[in-house]
Amino acid sequence: MKTTIKLLIIGLIAFGCKKDPVETDPAKAILGKWECIASGNGSSMIPISHPNGYIEFLPDSVMNDYVYETKICTSFKYFVDSLLHYYQYADDGMVFDNKFKITFTDHNKTMNLELQQPFATFHNFTYKRIN
């Protein structure tokens, strides 16, 4: 009787607790809406208690940057290889390739972006996924 109960408990533990698979491809994991919750440099991150908007990555390589207060949405083109690249276009026709090292934590619910340009004020940004 004790052996049967032990086998039943082991079976429930082994087969009853299925975890959702975590997407490992950053080009797929990035899809969705994200709010910035902290920015700074390295370990000196400043929490953001009231995000001013969100960014949304769509499957067709379009990134939308939405500002809550003004209700203005700006779109950019992006792609992901070993880095996240998104392109900003200046009025004079210049194109800026913003490059970020991208990592995900907490089952892809948190995204960390590290800006790869040397002269930025802030280099690190932490985002949380929103619905």
Side-chain angles (χ1 to χ4, degrees):
M1 182 69 171
K2 289 183 181 182
T3 305
T4 306
I5 292 174
K6 287 180 185 178
L7 288 174
L8 182 61
I9 291 172
I10 291 171
L12 286 173
I13 291 171
F15 299 107
C17 300
K18 292 184 180 181
K19 295 181 180 178
D20 292 331
V22 176
E23 181 61 62
T24 57
D25 180 2
K28 292 179 182 173
I30 200 171
L31 298 177
K33 292 181 181 178
W34 301 86
E35 283 183 332
C36 189
I37 58 171
S39 65
N41 293 309
S43 61
S44 300
M45 298 294 284
I46 301 165
I48 298 171
S49 56
H50 300 291
N52 67 348
Y54 66 83
I55 55 175
E56 179 180 25
F57 294 93
L58 302 172
D60 60 354
S61 298
V62 172
M63 178 186 113
N64 292 321
D65 186 357
Y66 183 81
V67 179
Y68 293 134
E69 185 177 338
T70 62
K71 298 181 181 172
I72 293 175
C73 182
T74 307
S75 296
F76 305 96
K77 293 299 279 182
Y78 82 94
F79 77 91
V80 177
D81 52 19
S82 62
L83 299 172
L84 163 66
H85 300 258
Y86 79 84
Y87 299 99
Q88 286 181 287
Y89 301 91
D91 292 337
D92 61 2
M94 288 189 68
V95 178
F96 297 95
D97 180 6
N98 299 290
K99 299 174 188 151
F100 294 88
K101 179 181 175 189
I102 183 171
T103 55
F104 295 94
T105 56
D106 192 27
H107 299 288
N108 294 344
K109 293 178 186 163
T110 304
M111 174 174 65
N112 299 296
L113 298 179
E114 181 182 340
L115 185 61
Q116 300 299 295
Q117 278 86 352
F119 300 113
T121 303
F122 294 116
H123 285 93
N124 300 86
F125 303 89
T126 302
Y127 288 83
K128 73 172 181 174
R129 189 181 295 278
I130 60 173
N131 293 332

